[in-house]
Amino acid sequence: MNGDYSEDLKDLLLIEHKEKVVKKGSFLFREGDLADSIFYIRSGRVRIGKITPDGREITFRICSEGDYISEIRLFCKLSTYRVQAKVIEDCSLVKIGKQDLEEKLLLDTSLTVGFLKMMGTQQQQTQSKFRDLVLHGKKGALYSTLIRMTNSYGIEKNDGILIDLPLTNQELANFCGMSREVVNRLLNSLKNDGIIKMDNGKIFVHNLQYLKDEIHCENCPVDICRMD
């Protein structure tokens, strides 16, 4: 789990819950489903995203082992999910009901603080991503996505950072909110300039500073500038 709230949240798993095993390709929930639960991932990966009115898929983040998926509104009447959660790698999960969670948070101040920290960090991550999409256009969307991926999945090497997450160009395009053709063109330009290369289906970033300079990177804290 990312952030400085993991220790505060350890007691969430003491709440009455259900254990689930969910296969790749299934959905934990879709847009419009009743938002009545949060989830804790013991293993596997889940993609949080949204389908636009024109049918394009936008990926906000990928949740993995140790992460919570908490797309609910607390202490108000039940609403619906505004995003979807698709399992992209077989998952073992814990499902905690909204009502049980709220009862526990009312009784445990430290747990409440940790939960608010987590939700605040996730909100900042989403706002930061949308800021880059709006302010820096298609190139900025790709560059900021690559920067976030180095923070989330990067492995330091002698001559750069390997993003240890196999992605198709279409999946990368989903993160950036644009077409695969545009991503292909931008990636080829970066490869031709020696900024990145492909390494067994994964992206290797040779010059991270170039990407940061191009979008006037504000050097946000790493727990904000992430994809997970």
Side-chain angles (χ1 to χ4, degrees):
M1 185 191 304
N2 302 306
D4 58 0
Y5 42 75
S6 55
E7 184 63 23
D8 293 333
L9 291 181
K10 65 181 187 301
D11 286 347
L12 277 181
L13 298 182
L14 299 179
I15 301 173
E16 183 177 350
H17 60 265
K18 296 179 180 178
E19 301 278 350
K20 294 172 64 72
V21 175
V22 185
K23 294 297 183 181
K24 178 181 178 180
S26 303
F27 287 85
L28 297 184
F29 53 81
R30 296 177 185 264
E31 294 179 64
D33 290 349
L34 200 61
D36 60 355
S37 302
I38 69 168
F39 299 85
Y40 173 77
I41 302 178
R42 294 197 187 277
S43 64
R45 285 179 174 168
V46 177
R47 182 172 63 219
I48 308 299
K50 191 174 183 69
I51 303 297
T52 65
D54 61 359
R56 289 185 298 112
E57 183 177 356
I58 299 178
T59 299
F60 295 144
R61 66 183 187 277
I62 293 179
C63 301
S64 54
E65 180 180 346
D67 287 333
Y68 283 92
I69 302 172
S70 54
E71 303 291 334
I72 63 172
R73 297 175 60 199
L74 291 173
F75 303 109
C76 57
K77 67 179 182 180
L78 281 174
S79 58
T80 57
Y81 291 112
R82 303 295 181 87
V83 294
Q84 64 181 21
K86 185 175 183 179
V87 177
I88 58 175
E89 185 180 287
D90 289 356
C91 278
S92 173
L93 300 156
V94 169
K95 181 179 181 180
I96 302 172
K98 177 177 181 291
Q99 182 175 343
D100 292 326
L101 172 64
E102 290 172 341
E103 290 175 358
K104 180 66 173 178
L105 293 179
L106 284 172
L107 297 173
D108 190 327
T109 303
S110 64
L111 188 60
T112 303
V113 170
F115 197 83
L116 290 175
K117 284 181 182 178
M118 177 185 68
M119 295 191 76
T121 297
Q122 290 179 353
Q123 182 181 45
Q124 285 182 293
Q125 289 172 339
T126 301
Q127 289 175 343
S128 175
K129 181 173 182 179
F130 276 121
R131 176 200 65 202
D132 291 338
L133 291 175
V134 171
L135 293 181
H136 302 299
K138 294 177 180 179
K139 181 185 288 187
L142 175 62
Y143 291 8
S144 66
T145 296
L146 292 175
I147 293 168
R148 285 177 168 80
M149 286 183 169
T150 63
N151 289 331
S152 294
Y153 313 111
I155 298 176
E156 294 277 355
K157 302 288 186 179
N158 290 333
D159 54 346
I161 301 174
L162 174 67
I163 298 176
D164 191 26
L165 179 70
L167 286 170
T168 66
N169 285 5
Q170 182 60 62
E171 289 170 331
L172 185 57
N174 292 345
F175 276 110
C176 304
M178 57 180 138
S179 70
R180 178 174 55 83
E181 291 75 17
V182 173
V183 166
N184 288 345
R185 186 172 70 249
L186 293 173
L187 287 176
N188 285 333
S189 178
L190 289 174
K191 285 189 284 187
N192 291 337
D193 291 340
I195 307 301
I196 68 169
K197 71 175 182 180
M198 300 306 297
D199 187 352
N200 292 322
K202 300 176 182 178
I203 297 174
F204 191 100
V205 179
H206 284 297
N207 191 341
L208 180 62
Q209 192 58 49
Y210 172 87
L211 301 178
K212 290 183 175 182
D213 290 344
E214 285 292 297
I215 64 168
H216 309 290
C217 181
E218 298 178 0
N219 292 312
C220 299
V222 173
D223 63 337
I224 301 300
C225 186
R226 299 184 65 89
M227 298 304 298
D228 52 359

